[in-house]
Amino acid sequence: MSHFLPETDAVPTAARGLALAHPGMIEVTESPLYLRARDADPARTVALVSGGGSGHEPLHTGLLGRGGLDAVCPGEIFASPHNRQIYEASAAAAKSGGVLHIVKNYTGDVINFQIAAERLRHDGIPVATVLVDDDLATDSADSATGRRGTAATVVVEKLLGAAADRGATLEELTDLGRRVVARSRSIAVAARAQTSPTTLHRAFELDEGTLDYGVGIHGERGIRTIARPATGDLVRRMTDDLLDALPDGPDDVLALVNGLGATTELELNAIAVLLNDELTARGLRPVLVVPGTFTAALDMAGFSLTLTRLEDGWADLWTAPARTPLVLPRPLEGAVGGATPESPVRTPANASASAPRETGDRALLDRYARTVTQVRDNLTKLDQLVGDGDFGDNLAGGVRRAVKLADETGMDGTAALADAFLNDVGGTSGPLFGLLFQHLATASPADGGAPTATALAEAAEAGHAAIHRVGGAVPGDCTLVDALAPAAESLAAARDADAPEAPLTEAAQAAIRGALATASLRPRRGRASYVGDHALGVPDPGALAVALLFMALADIHEPATAPRLPAPGHITVI
């Protein structure tokens, strides 16, 4: 994002851009720079003024307007506004009941807002301050400056904006703001630093597989660097830390899941559900769970969690109508009151709803699951070179669903693979693999014994035919068919021979040769066909996954001769 800031006057230009995008809502004064809402609620008697360094958008400018702020003073990137900006913005916005400053607890912000407040008092304008200090990462008895002000600022500004539109006095707004701050705590993590607008390099480097825990919104390093845990474990740890630091109070909470600039909406929504589950498991009532990017740190890849214990009426203030550039999301479905709707459980069509089928062979599923887990990242990297990079995760996700399905229902492993991939795995390859698994499942004897060469040959041929009918791919198109076709042909040859010695080993070797040969092909089907010659030298990930499947079959039934999986990381660009 910072790669494309104008070389000069970036912040004033961005302010004009915001006003241009929201005609009639915002006016911009350029000397000194501040933005003012044009459409204040007539019931409002106190002006709300905030500001801070730029680079945190949509804070504070996104909350400018009815139900929000009256004026915002943007400083340079990660630098506080100067006192003249604050003074003139406050004087221009002041109402009969005075001005309330909402200030994040950073030294430059605090000093400049204090000086502006002194100047306003000298002019006879009533003024008060709400200092936001929610960041528990900087909660230290040794610090004279106290906790930093971070994403809880959004909560304060929204609640006070609604209260101001109801005619609250300066004293009432100040008291409300300080109570909201006292009941709010935040913590943030980052997997990648923001890009410096000056150097165009990352502000700091993190080793692969690590996170900075307790980062600041100006790109400050965290209080510690930790090994990167699973996201659910990370959310659990952050929740524990927040609840340990949050003062006692009501069980109703507002939970804000805030992106730091480069974290996707998909990720934030998923994290919101994890947080909701953690809170309800602890007996709290997440009345409002709100995911989104509200307080960024330029393009930092990370997120923060904010918890606010809600007093009576605060949830109504959050949901009160507002007319601001930032449209705050409503509560997640099912989050109000802490009740999470139960997920419907689909009963597979080939499994009994009353009693799971206990017969069947799990060996292929378990072996393939281990293999896919080992090579998932390598398959993803290959797919990033020729497609959209989702193949490794899709394959691994489908296998995980199959394992869970087999565990819960007792289904045959191959049948569970077929059910999971046909019904739950999207994209191009997911349902195609489902067709292959569906036909391979017919080769498994009901007693769980080894499938015959004849049964496997017929199943592989039928799977190949089904995939061709659906997708049209033939050998040479650089798809999974380039591994499946030679494997099926090898099994058919073994079926027709009098005494094949190791038919699955031969089929696996044929699949491997076919998969590796795709590196020399120019793709004609699938997403790799879009990148043309850029795909040359890259083996098709789907073909490799088919080869790995036949390797797993051979390893189970012909362990003495089966080809072995290379060491992790060996599968790469040819």
Side-chain angles (χ1 to χ4, degrees):
M1 156 290 190
S2 53
H3 291 274
F4 300 104
L5 284 173
E7 286 73 13
T8 59
D9 297 329
V11 175
T13 303
R16 290 167 54 202
L18 183 70
L20 185 66
H22 300 278
M25 289 180 61
I26 298 167
E27 66 178 28
V28 179
T29 299
E30 296 196 44
S31 183
L33 178 64
Y34 63 87
L35 297 85
R36 193 155 68 98
R38 285 183 167 178
D39 183 32
D41 192 300
R44 184 174 290 208
T45 63
V46 176
L48 303 181
V49 178
S50 191
S54 296
H56 305 308
E57 292 74 19
L59 190 81
H60 302 270
T61 51
L63 287 168
L64 189 61
R66 285 200 181 211
L69 302 170
D70 293 277
V72 170
C73 308
E76 293 300 317
I77 292 175
F78 291 173
S80 70
H82 58 73
N83 77 87
R84 181 179 165 223
Q85 285 179 269
I86 302 163
Y87 165 67
E88 294 204 16
S90 300
K95 301 188 180 302
S96 60
V99 176
L100 178 64
H101 288 163
I102 301 171
V103 186
K104 301 189 302 300
N105 189 27
Y106 290 93
T107 302
D109 295 59
V110 171
I111 289 174
N112 279 285
F113 271 93
Q114 284 180 339
I115 293 173
E118 291 298 323
R119 296 178 68 176
L120 292 167
R121 291 188 186 99
H122 181 76
D123 292 347
I125 298 174
V127 60
T129 299
V130 170
L131 187 67
V132 183
D133 59 349
D134 55 307
D135 181 21
L136 67 87
T138 47
D139 194 351
S140 171
D142 298 330
S143 171
T145 55
R147 294 183 299 269
R148 295 178 295 213
T150 60
T153 310
V154 176
V155 182
V156 174
E157 290 177 351
K158 178 62 178 77
L159 300 190
L160 291 188
D165 281 358
R166 296 178 181 183
T169 66
L170 181 61
E171 292 75 16
E172 290 168 339
L173 291 169
T174 304
D175 177 66
L176 173 61
R178 291 173 180 173
R179 295 203 320 271
V180 174
V181 171
R183 294 184 179 277
S184 301
R185 293 292 184 274
S186 301
I187 187 71
V189 299
R192 191 191 71 228
Q194 79 282 2
T195 305
S196 166
T198 303
T199 67
L200 301 186
H201 297 302
R202 293 176 186 172
F204 58 86
E205 294 295 333
L206 284 169
D207 292 337
E208 187 174 355
T210 65
L211 295 172
D212 252 24
Y213 193 89
V215 296
I217 60 172
H218 299 95
E220 304 98 325
R221 293 297 303 266
I223 53 176
R224 65 182 66 91
T225 300
I226 63 173
R228 184 169 186 163
T231 304
D233 293 336
L234 178 62
V235 171
R236 185 174 303 112
R237 174 176 178 170
M238 296 170 74
T239 304
D240 287 339
D241 288 347
L242 286 169
L243 293 177
D244 287 345
L246 201 64
D248 293 336
D251 289 336
D252 289 358
V253 294
L254 181 153
L256 194 75
V257 180
N258 169 62
L260 294 179
T263 309
T264 64
E265 183 176 349
L266 176 74
E267 294 168 290
L268 297 174
N269 284 335
I271 292 166
V273 173
L274 296 176
L275 177 58
N276 183 70
D277 292 346
E278 291 295 333
L279 294 171
T280 55
R282 290 160 173 76
L284 297 172
R285 287 168 36 89
V287 175
L288 299 160
V289 181
V290 189
T293 296
F294 311 113
T295 307
L298 286 176
D299 61 348
M300 181 179 279
F303 68 94
S304 65
L305 302 181
T306 299
L307 295 181
T308 300
R309 290 194 185 272
L310 295 173
E311 294 185 6
D312 289 344
W314 289 7
D316 291 338
L317 293 175
W318 178 269
T319 57
R323 186 170 180 263
T324 60
L326 173 63
V327 179
L328 288 166
R330 304 288 291 182
L332 289 179
E333 184 71 26
V336 175
T340 302
E342 299 205 6
S343 300
V345 177
R346 175 179 54 81
T347 300
N350 54 352
S352 168
S354 58
R357 181 166 63 90
E358 298 296 342
T359 61
D361 180 15
R362 269 291 294 267
L364 176 61
L365 173 57
D366 292 338
R367 189 67 50 87
Y368 197 51
R370 288 197 298 271
T371 300
V372 168
T373 299
Q374 183 176 343
V375 303
R376 181 194 67 182
D377 292 345
N378 303 91
L379 294 174
T380 294
K381 290 174 183 177
L382 291 175
D383 195 39
Q384 287 171 339
L385 295 172
V386 298
D388 56 1
D390 66 350
F391 181 76
D393 285 338
N394 270 355
L395 185 68
V399 172
R400 283 195 303 269
R401 290 184 180 96
V403 170
K404 182 179 180 183
L405 190 59
D407 288 342
E408 292 176 348
T409 68
M411 290 178 68
D412 175 272
T414 316
L417 283 165
D419 190 288
F421 276 80
L422 282 173
N423 292 318
D424 291 321
V425 181
T428 302
S429 59
L432 295 180
F433 270 88
L435 289 175
L436 176 58
F437 292 133
Q438 185 181 58
H439 286 283
L440 288 178
T442 65
S444 298
D447 61 3
T452 65
T454 297
L456 282 171
E458 292 174 353
E461 287 178 323
H464 177 204
I467 290 172
H468 172 69
R469 287 195 299 272
V470 171
V474 297
D477 284 347
C478 194
T479 69
L480 63 86
V481 168
D482 285 283
L484 176 57
E489 291 169 1
S490 177
L491 287 169
R495 174 193 59 195
D496 298 336
D498 292 336
E501 292 186 1
L504 287 172
T505 297
E506 293 293 334
Q509 290 172 340
I512 293 169
R513 290 191 296 269
L516 295 179
T518 59
S520 63
L521 298 175
R522 192 179 191 278
R524 296 198 304 146
R525 290 188 184 272
R527 200 160 277 168
S529 64
Y530 304 151
V531 301
D533 290 342
H534 290 293
L536 291 174
V538 183
D540 180 71
L544 288 172
V546 169
L548 294 171
L549 174 63
F550 281 94
M551 288 172 64
L553 273 167
D555 194 31
I556 294 166
H557 300 294
E558 299 166 4
T561 57
R564 299 297 175 186
L565 185 68
H570 182 74
I571 297 177
T572 183
V573 179
I574 302 300

